[in-house]
Amino acid sequence: MTETESIAYDVVVLGAGPVGENVADRARAAGLSTAIVESELVGGECSYWACMPSKALLRPVIARADARRVPGLSQAVQGPLDAAAVLAHRDYFTSHWKDDGQVGWLDGIGADLYRGHGRLDGPRTVTVEGPDGERHVLTARHAVAVCTGTRALLPDLPGLAQVKPWTSREATSAQAVPGRLVVVGGGVVAVEMATAWQALGSQVTVLVRGKGLLPRMEPFAGELVAEGLAEAGADVRTGTSVSAVTREGSTVVVLTDTGDRLEADEILFATGRVPHTDDIGLGTIGLEAGSWLDVDDSLRVTGSEWLYAVGDVNHRALLTHQGKYQARIAGAAIAARAAGVPLLETDPWGAHAATADHAAVPQVVFTDPEAAAVGLSLAEAEQAGHRVRAVDVEMSSAAGAGLYADGYRGKARMIVDVNREVLLGVTFVGPGVGELIHSATVAVAGEVPIGRLWHAVPSYPTLSEVWLRLLEAYRDA
């Protein structure tokens, strides 16, 4: 192994996924020299094994489902999807798992890329073991940002490794459609991949340990998504855990705690995530390997003056768009501290505070129907001690719903802080609602008073008219 001399930068970023890229971009925009370290592909999980490939798989599924509900078009789209074409389109959106384009982007902003495994080696120091045995020592004048994300959590089942189960990576990158697929879990990855592979030709069985799907959202969201999966032909079983799994030849055999025996070609475990911090040298700075990293609202690790943890690794909001938001906040904070700014804007909604992580996290689940939410659910708001009212309306109450699809089914809920008359949370479920959620995000993040929302006139006839129905229901109650 060869070793280079120590190279000093203003900022060193561990992990070149979307979060690390954005930290590097903000640091470079502030004139700070920046190194970024990546052990796999520049662009990270989102670009190659999560957001982009999963949505490329789901887009034709949702488009066909929508078309089947439109008179004059429905008969033309009753046939099966062209699975080979869908998978090829997915491959295109992952750049065929090559990162040349994203490396070019890093070059364009002036960040130095180091390929290899990066580890902390004491305060402000990162060592990188390159693919050809070279060793680089990088020191940071101002900040090291850990942006290494998460990896799939697999249950402790005997012999599971020999079964070669799918995780989210295999589910989004598979090159063939399995005839039978068992999906274990009830969260976003589980329901999205169940939706995609069922539509592409698999016979999908979903095993959910809890009472329903999407447990972090309003209960009606999981209920409507479960109905959609069942109507598509999937078998959704709640209150069911896997007790054993083996592979007999090419067949996966699954035993459940309810005494059922299932056979499948593949099994996907979508049962949670763990931080990718087990081998990045946390022990050299007094932190526990494999732990989530606690941070303040400027994304600086608790007790440190120089270490930042941005994105999924801090466990605040495991979403790409939220991690990129954190990166913008962290980059601004790093730049301000590097410039010697005496007092940062860390009050709620300040330039150096990731307040939205607590109050206005948006998410879209790309199933049929779609589920979208921002802010607090009713249960979360009540648990936090707010005095609230939940206002529910059917999505079909908007004229645009009937135009969007025959037999449109869906529901909307807003959570109102009755003391201040502002929204704490909004949930939509129904076809096409993913494009509604940003208006709700603006209302929640902006703490727009109910009285002012009355003057935000929705265009007729669109799905957005559901906002008027919600406000009317609140005033008329």
Side-chain angles (χ1 to χ4, degrees):
M1 178 179 291
T2 60
E3 182 171 339
T4 66
E5 62 182 347
S6 178
I7 306 172
Y9 289 90
D10 292 323
V11 179
V12 177
V13 180
L14 270 179
V19 175
E21 288 177 325
N22 274 269
V23 172
D25 184 44
R26 291 298 84 208
R28 289 296 301 130
L32 301 175
S33 61
T34 303
I36 189 166
V37 182
E38 178 53 55
S39 61
E40 292 188 288
L41 295 175
V42 174
E45 200 80 11
C46 174
S47 297
Y48 306 103
W49 300 286
C51 317
M52 296 309 291
S54 67
K55 302 321 172 272
L57 290 172
L58 285 159
R59 177 59 193 146
V61 175
I62 303 307
R64 182 182 66 165
D66 284 347
R68 284 179 169 179
R69 301 184 185 104
V70 179
L73 180 59
S74 59
Q75 290 304 312
V77 290
Q78 289 302 316
L81 291 170
D82 183 341
V86 173
L87 296 180
H89 190 57
R90 182 272 320 271
D91 293 352
Y92 167 79
F93 268 94
T94 62
S95 300
H96 300 273
W97 290 275
K98 296 179 181 179
D99 62 3
D100 300 22
Q102 304 226 35
V103 171
W105 181 85
L106 278 180
D107 289 341
I109 67 169
D112 290 346
L113 171 64
Y114 290 83
R115 289 194 183 272
H117 191 101
R119 295 181 180 86
L120 291 159
D121 190 14
R124 301 176 187 267
T125 303
V126 172
T127 60
V128 184
E129 296 175 11
D132 297 322
E134 69 275 22
R135 185 170 184 265
H136 304 281
V137 179
L138 313 177
T139 59
R141 299 183 187 96
H142 298 295
V144 174
V146 176
C147 309
T148 50
T150 61
R151 55 182 172 80
L153 170 66
L154 288 171
D156 185 17
L157 288 172
L160 185 60
Q162 287 69 44
V163 175
K164 296 182 178 179
W166 279 10
T167 66
S168 55
R169 283 199 167 194
E170 290 77 19
T172 56
S173 63
Q175 294 297 316
V177 179
R180 300 161 298 174
L181 174 66
V182 170
V183 177
V184 183
V188 176
V189 171
V191 297
E192 287 191 344
M193 290 298 93
T195 298
W197 290 108
Q198 178 70 36
L200 287 168
S202 292
Q203 177 53 58
V204 172
T205 301
V206 182
L207 305 180
V208 188
R209 182 172 58 183
K211 296 179 180 179
L213 304 178
L214 301 175
R216 295 183 180 275
M217 300 182 84
E218 299 285 9
F220 64 81
E223 292 165 5
L224 288 168
V225 169
E227 289 177 13
L229 281 169
E231 289 173 3
D235 180 5
V236 180
R237 307 185 187 186
T238 57
T240 304
S241 297
V242 174
S243 56
V245 58
T246 57
R247 188 178 285 274
E248 299 176 3
S250 61
T251 300
V252 177
V253 177
V254 182
L255 302 179
T256 73
D257 61 348
T258 57
D260 294 328
R261 183 182 190 274
L262 305 172
E263 293 187 356
D265 299 288
E266 301 290 351
I267 183 168
L268 162 62
F269 281 92
T271 49
R273 309 287 296 180
V274 292
H276 215 298
T277 59
D278 51 320
D279 191 21
I280 62 167
L282 290 182
T284 68
I285 56 170
L287 297 175
E288 182 181 352
S291 64
W292 301 102
L293 296 176
D294 292 328
V295 296
D296 62 21
D297 273 1
S298 72
L299 290 312
R300 190 164 59 176
V301 172
T302 304
S304 175
E305 295 296 317
W306 56 271
L307 185 65
Y308 292 73
V310 193
D312 288 4
V313 75
N314 60 40
H315 207 228
R316 286 163 68 105
L318 276 64
L319 295 159
T320 295
H321 50 268
Q322 209 67 23
K324 291 165 71 173
Y325 159 75
Q326 292 177 14
R328 296 190 292 272
I329 300 294
I334 290 169
R337 288 176 174 133
V341 174
L343 189 62
L344 270 61
E345 299 176 39
T346 55
D347 290 339
W349 308 112
H352 309 114
T355 311
D357 285 350
H358 312 296
V361 175
Q363 182 172 23
V364 179
V365 185
F366 292 85
T367 45
D368 180 33
E370 291 179 347
V374 63
L376 304 180
S377 68
L378 175 60
E380 289 170 337
E382 290 178 336
Q383 186 175 10
H386 297 289
R387 182 168 167 257
V388 296
R389 268 185 55 197
V391 181
D392 295 346
V393 300
E394 296 298 317
M395 286 293 302
S396 58
S397 63
L403 290 169
Y404 192 97
D406 267 7
Y408 190 107
R409 285 184 297 165
K411 188 173 181 178
R413 168 175 287 180
M414 67 180 189
I415 307 300
V416 182
D417 181 327
V418 296
N419 291 332
R420 296 186 297 147
E421 287 213 319
V422 297
L423 303 185
L424 298 179
V426 182
T427 300
F428 301 114
V429 183
V433 299
E435 295 300 335
L436 289 179
I437 201 60
H438 191 60
S439 59
T441 303
V442 171
V444 173
E447 298 181 334
V448 182
I450 291 286
R452 181 57 62 87
L453 285 175
W454 267 103
H455 298 282
V457 182
S459 297
Y460 180 86
T462 65
L463 289 175
S464 292
E465 210 176 14
V466 72
W467 277 106
L468 179 55
R469 303 285 90 87
L470 285 164
L471 294 168
E472 288 172 338
Y474 178 69
R475 283 205 168 181
D476 295 343

